[in-house]
Amino acid sequence: MISTFLKTSVVSISMLMALSSNAQTKKENSTRNWPNAAQLVISVSMQFETGGQPQGAESPFSNNPLPKGNPDLAAESWFRYGATEGIYRMLDLWKKYDIKVTSHVVGEAAIKYPEVAKAIAAGGHEIAAHGYSWSNQWNMSYADELAFVKKGVDTVQAITGKKGIGYNANWLRRSPNTLKVLQELGFLYHIDDLSRDEPFITKVNGKNFVVMPYTLRNNDIVNIEGKHWSADQFLAQLKMEFDQLYAEGASKRRMMSISFHDRIGGTPSMVHAMDEFIKYAKKNKGVVFMRKDAIAKMVINDPKTPIDNAEEKYNH
């Protein structure tokens, strides 16, 4: 009887230890998807564009343009809001929660509002590149595109002291040469890709180049300006996106991207909505807010980072 009891006890203890070990293994696996053991990484883009827009750029008034030669003063004031109010309000929000974001800065915006560009850098946020002006580059020659991107980077660096290593083309519309241009100029990553919910590596002339997932789903210019959503609709979208990606993050690498633009995301209602979202997200364990350059550096040599050469024919 005693022998049987002891054997049964040993078996029971062994089973409990095995179950505990399996649970621990699952927990470890779930926290090893990211090198920093996060379950979900969130990265915010804060595009600084005011002052770089061409005449007739998208605005609440662009569908009713004034006759040529007449300045659209209302539209110009709408853009100025991003520099006078929007960026500063967002900077206050990031400071409140000690969150660092990535700001893709247009060269001409930094020239016109150097104090704004410097404030972004002084807040510890990433200064990334967004071209010299709001110009198409999908139709540029290699040499022209190289000069255009370099001029933007050099301009912003001269003002902020920070050299961009991440890139965002105007409306994501890069050319077949863009990644080769970026690699030649020493960039680490670009964001003009919508194909995944995690960073991946693509080969450019045989070398690793990081592709950081961007979003149209969590993008203020698409949903607030384009679809005329209210701030609470945008907040609902962020929460639903977060819930799904966070759940998936228990078993695979997931990243959530959010995009704000100076004149749109910096309005009172949108900053309030983002404040609510940050509090919502931070209630969960393993949620990390990161700059995109930090993410790219973390994953570029990680063997778990997927390699995707879907655009191979353009990149060599």
Side-chain angles (χ1 to χ4, degrees), residues 223-288:
N223 292 322
I224 299 299
E225 285 304 310
K227 299 177 183 176
H228 305 293
W229 282 10
S230 63
D232 60 343
Q233 287 176 298
F234 192 81
L235 175 58
Q237 163 70 17
L238 294 184
K239 287 182 175 180
M240 293 179 73
E241 185 97 353
F242 173 87
D243 288 345
Q244 181 63 32
L245 291 175
Y246 185 77
E248 292 178 8
S251 59
K252 55 186 175 181
R253 187 177 294 181
R254 300 283 80 179
M255 175 181 156
M256 182 175 179
S257 178
I258 303 171
S259 180
F260 281 161
H261 294 73
D262 48 20
R263 61 210 174 272
I264 306 167
T267 59
S269 60
M270 285 294 286
V271 167
H272 182 73
M274 188 61 186
D275 192 315
E276 291 297 307
F277 172 73
I278 294 170
K279 288 185 286 189
Y280 181 82
K282 280 183 168 287
K283 292 178 182 178
N284 298 269
K285 294 181 179 179
V287 175
V288 181

Side-chain angles (χ1 to χ4, degrees), residues 4-304:
T4 301
F5 174 77
L6 289 174
K7 287 180 180 178
T8 302
S9 298
V10 169
V11 170
S12 298
I13 292 171
S14 297
M15 289 177 65
L16 288 172
M17 290 178 66
L19 289 171
S20 176
S21 177
N22 288 339
Q24 182 65 25
T25 298
K26 288 180 179 179
K27 182 179 179 182
E28 288 175 356
N29 287 341
S30 69
T31 58
R32 287 177 181 169
N33 297 316
W34 287 95
N36 63 351
Q39 181 163 333
L40 180 63
V41 169
I42 302 175
S43 189
V44 180
S45 293
M46 181 179 68
Q47 317 301 55
F48 178 36
E49 302 174 333
T50 293
Q53 74 275 6
Q55 187 173 4
E58 300 95 339
S59 78
F61 314 99
S62 56
N63 289 329
N64 186 27
L66 297 177
K68 189 174 182 179
N70 292 273
D72 191 339
L73 300 180
E76 290 178 11
S77 72
W78 182 74
F79 279 102
R80 282 200 305 276
Y81 186 91
T84 59
E85 298 278 4
I87 290 289
Y88 290 114
R89 182 174 288 117
M90 286 189 282
L91 287 177
D92 287 342
L93 178 64
W94 314 140
K95 184 176 180 179
K96 176 180 177 180
Y97 292 101
D98 192 25
I99 287 173
K100 304 305 179 186
V101 306
T102 292
S103 186
H104 288 86
V105 180
V106 173
E108 289 184 345
I111 291 173
K112 191 162 186 178
Y113 300 100
E115 69 284 357
V116 177
K118 290 176 182 177
I120 297 170
H125 305 291
E126 177 190 1
I127 298 293
H130 201 13
Y132 178 72
S133 61
W134 284 26
S135 301
N136 291 328
Q137 58 190 85
W138 58 265
N139 55 353
M140 291 182 180
S141 68
Y142 189 100
D144 288 344
E145 187 172 10
L146 182 73
F148 173 80
V149 174
K150 187 177 187 304
K151 185 177 182 181
V153 173
D154 291 347
T155 298
V156 175
Q157 183 179 12
I159 292 168
T160 65
K162 305 293 183 181
K163 182 178 181 180
I165 58 172
Y167 197 75
N168 175 208
N170 182 38
W171 269 113
L172 285 71
R173 290 288 183 81
R174 53 195 166 90
S175 82
N177 291 322
T178 301
L179 298 195
K180 290 176 287 188
V181 164
L182 296 179
Q183 187 189 70
E184 183 174 341
L185 291 173
F187 279 81
L188 176 64
Y189 75 89
H190 82 109
I191 69 170
D192 301 322
D193 189 289
L194 307 169
S195 65
R196 289 178 180 260
D197 289 317
E198 65 178 312
F200 63 93
I201 289 169
T202 192
K203 297 290 185 177
V204 180
N205 288 323
K207 298 178 181 179
N208 285 359
F209 193 85
V210 178
V211 182
M212 200 66 62
Y214 195 55
T215 177
L216 299 182
R217 303 183 302 271
N218 308 320
N219 192 312
D220 60 355
I221 199 170
V222 173
N223 292 322
I224 299 299
E225 285 304 310
K227 299 177 183 176
H228 305 293
W229 282 10
S230 63
D232 60 343
Q233 287 176 298
F234 192 81
L235 175 58
Q237 163 70 17
L238 294 184
K239 287 182 175 180
M240 293 179 73
E241 185 97 353
F242 173 87
D243 288 345
Q244 181 63 32
L245 291 175
Y246 185 77
E248 292 178 8
S251 59
K252 55 186 175 181
R253 187 177 294 181
R254 300 283 80 179
M255 175 181 156
M256 182 175 179
S257 178
I258 303 171
S259 180
F260 281 161
H261 294 73
D262 48 20
R263 61 210 174 272
I264 306 167
T267 59
S269 60
M270 285 294 286
V271 167
H272 182 73
M274 188 61 186
D275 192 315
E276 291 297 307
F277 172 73
I278 294 170
K279 288 185 286 189
Y280 181 82
K282 280 183 168 287
K283 292 178 182 178
N284 298 269
K285 294 181 179 179
V287 175
V288 181
F289 287 81
M290 295 182 68
R291 294 168 29 155
K292 289 178 173 61
D293 58 345
I295 299 171
K297 290 173 183 176
M298 184 171 66
V299 305
I300 189 167
N301 294 314
D302 181 4
K304 285 191 174 183

